[in-house]
Amino acid sequence: MNVVSQSDSPIRLRFNLNWKITLFATLALPLLLSLGFWQLERASHKRAIEANFALRQSAPPLELDGATLANGEPFQRVIARGQFDNEHTWLLDNKQRHGQVGYEVISPLHLHDGTWILVNRGWLKSTGDRQQLPAVAAVTGEQSVFGELAHVSHHPMLDASSLTDDWPRVVMAIDTDAMAEQLGRPLASSYLRIAELSPGAFETQWQPVNMSAHTHTGYAFQWFAMALALSVWFVFSNSNLLAWWRARQLQK
C-alpha cells in the first residue's frame, strides 16, 4: 500500500483573517489612497497656476492704477508710478532664502491716481537678533516700479498683527485690511511683488507657487506606494501565500 506523506501533500492557499490587521488595513488604506489622490489634485491645480504664470509673464506690462487693480489677475505684469511711504514699513517674518532666515519688506506705494498699494520689495537677511531688525533703505521721490500683481492668501493661523506700535512692524502675513487700519488709509486688496531691477528692490526670485506640481506628484507616488505596501503586507499576514508559493516552486 502506498502512503502519501504529509510533506508530499499539496499545500492549499488559505486565508485566515487577523481582526487587528484587518481593522488597521481597513482604516489606513482609504486614508493613504485619499492622500494620494489629493496630492494629484494639488498637482493639477499647481500646473494650472504655473501655466497662468507663464501666460501673464509673456504679456506686456500694464500701467497700474485703480482700474487695472479692479480687473487685475495674479501674475499680471505692471508698471507702478508713484512714491513710497518710507515712514511705514512691515517686515514679513520667517522668510528663508539659501538656508538663511530673514524678512520680506512690505512698503506702501502711493500711485498717481491716489490709490495706495502694498509692495513686497523682496528679502532681507536677519541680523540674528530679534531685537535688532535689519535696516531698510528709504526710496525717495517719484519712482517707476516694475512688478507683478499678487492676491492675498489668508491663513487661519497667521495675520498682520504686531506686538509693537513702532515702525517697522514685524508681521506673520500680508493682510490688507489690517494693514490699512494700521496705516490709517485704504489699501488695494491686491499687492505688488517688485521686480529685482526696480528702485527699492531687495532679493526677489519670486516663484509662482511654493511647491511645484512635480513635488506634489512625487508625494502622490509615495502615498500610493505606501498603500500598495500595506495591501501586500495585509495579504501575506492573513494567508499562507508565501508557503504556498514556495511549495509550488519546489514542485516544478
Side-chain angles (χ1 to χ4, degrees):
M1 182 175 66
N2 296 328
V3 179
V4 178
S5 65
Q6 186 176 359
S7 60
D8 295 331
S9 301
I11 296 179
R12 295 183 179 181
L13 182 63
R14 296 188 304 273
F15 283 89
N16 184 20
L17 296 182
N18 181 299
W19 73 268
K20 292 182 180 180
I21 295 176
T22 302
L23 177 62
F24 174 75
T26 302
L27 296 176
L29 184 60
L31 176 61
L32 295 174
L33 291 175
S34 64
L35 288 171
F37 285 115
W38 176 70
Q39 288 293 346
L40 289 180
E41 183 180 346
R42 295 294 297 160
S44 177
H45 177 65
K46 293 299 178 64
R47 278 192 290 269
I49 294 177
E50 291 166 348
N52 185 42
F53 173 77
L55 177 64
R56 297 296 176 187
Q57 292 298 300
S58 65
L62 301 177
E63 185 79 23
L64 185 62
D65 55 23
T68 306
L69 283 168
N71 302 299
E73 295 289 337
F75 312 123
Q76 174 66 57
R77 296 172 64 214
V78 296
I79 304 174
R81 308 183 196 275
Q83 288 188 330
F84 281 102
D85 178 357
N86 295 296
E87 301 299 322
H88 303 93
T89 300
W90 292 270
L91 299 176
L92 197 57
D93 201 1
N94 197 29
K95 297 298 180 179
Q96 296 190 13
R97 299 285 175 88
H98 319 297
Q100 296 179 315
V101 178
Y103 305 90
E104 289 180 4
V105 180
I106 313 297
S107 297
L109 181 68
H110 192 206
L111 302 179
H112 284 174
D113 68 344
T115 303
W116 284 89
I117 185 172
L118 295 176
V119 178
N120 189 331
R121 296 167 56 187
W123 182 83
L124 274 180
K125 181 182 176 182
S126 171
T127 63
D129 183 356
R130 301 289 295 183
Q131 302 303 317
Q132 183 180 356
L133 299 177
V136 179
V139 184
T140 59
E142 294 282 337
Q143 301 293 339
S144 294
V145 176
F146 291 84
E148 62 186 40
L149 290 178
H151 287 181
V152 175
S153 298
H154 296 285
H155 193 288
M157 303 299 293
L158 304 176
D159 58 29
S161 60
S162 176
L163 299 178
T164 177
D165 292 333
D166 298 329
W167 297 92
R169 296 183 178 180
V170 178
V171 295
M172 298 301 297
I174 297 177
D175 184 334
T176 53
D177 292 335
M179 290 173 161
E181 185 176 348
Q182 295 175 30
L183 197 59
R185 60 176 70 99
L187 290 168
S189 57
S190 300
Y191 67 97
L192 181 64
R193 295 198 296 193
I194 200 171
E196 192 153 353
L197 297 180
S198 292
F202 300 104
E203 184 175 345
T204 56
Q205 299 177 346
W206 306 119
Q207 299 295 326
V209 292
N210 58 1
M211 187 179 295
S212 68
H214 178 75
T215 302
H216 284 289
T217 303
Y219 284 148
F221 176 81
Q222 292 178 12
W223 289 121
F224 288 137
M226 292 174 65
L228 177 61
L230 175 63
S231 300
V232 172
W233 173 71
F234 171 80
V235 171
F236 276 93
S237 299
N238 289 280
S239 71
N240 65 336
L241 179 62
L242 184 59
W244 174 82
W245 180 83
R246 288 175 175 172
R248 289 287 299 270
Q249 295 303 306
L250 292 174
Q251 292 175 2
K252 290 183 179 181

